[in-house]
């Protein structure tokens, strides 16, 4: 698995595997091979948690802005997303009870494709870099003023 994925629109997602499994279940009009659960490794370059503002409490909602870029690190074609324990199992490691729940089409446990993504850049990262450069310039200017004041006092 390789390549990058860049968001083309504002995306709402959840940090809860239970929510992801339920959304996967609710998209029954799509064939399973056309669906995937994306596991995003977020490190603040773009995504922002809005859980405290979310209409659905406990959803652990996250907004990912346009232009956030993720690297595809791994694709698991057959996996089991267990929203109850918040774990993803590969075909080889799935417990029998989780496999049975998926076979019964339970909404909180899904047999699915899982795509693992790592956030590599985003609009938030550039904003933070600009803010840090501005902060550093202001600190340098203050230091210069303080040095001048100290030299003048001697």
């Amino acid at each position: 698995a390789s390549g990058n994925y860049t968001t083309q629109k504002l995306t709402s997602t959840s940090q809860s595997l239970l929510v992801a499994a339920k959304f996967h279940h609710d998209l029954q009009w799509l064939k399973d091979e056309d669906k995937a659960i994306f596991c995003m490794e977020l490190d603040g370059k773009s995504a922002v948690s809005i859980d405290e503002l979310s209409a659905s409490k406990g959803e652990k909602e996250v907004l990912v802005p346009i232009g956030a870029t993720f690297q595809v690190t791994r694709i698991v074609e057959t996996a089991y997303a267990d929203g109850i324990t918040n774990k993803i199992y590969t075909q080889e490691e799935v417990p029998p009870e989780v496999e049975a729940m998926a076979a019964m089409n339970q909404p909180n446990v899904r047999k699915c494709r899982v795509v693992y993504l790592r956030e590599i850049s985003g609009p938030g990262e550039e904003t933070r870099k600009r803010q840090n450069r501005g902060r550093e310039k202001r600190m340098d200017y203050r230091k210069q003023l303080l040095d001048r004041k100290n030299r003048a006092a001697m």
Side-chain angles (χ1 to χ4, degrees), residues 100-128:
M101 288 178 73
M104 291 186 298
N105 203 24
Q106 295 291 318
N108 50 355
V109 177
R110 303 301 303 155
K111 181 177 180 180
C112 57
R113 175 185 305 129
V114 177
V115 179
Y116 290 89
L117 303 167
R118 183 176 56 84
E119 186 178 25
I120 57 175
S121 69
E125 179 181 32
E126 291 305 313
T127 299
R128 261 189 301 292

Side-chain angles (χ1 to χ4, degrees), residues 13-33:
T13 188
S14 174
Q15 293 176 304
S16 167
L17 190 54
L18 179 60
V19 173
K22 286 183 179 177
F23 271 107
H24 190 279
H25 175 268
D26 292 345
L27 294 174
Q28 292 186 4
W29 53 273
L30 278 175
K31 292 184 266 179
D32 279 346
E33 59 267 18

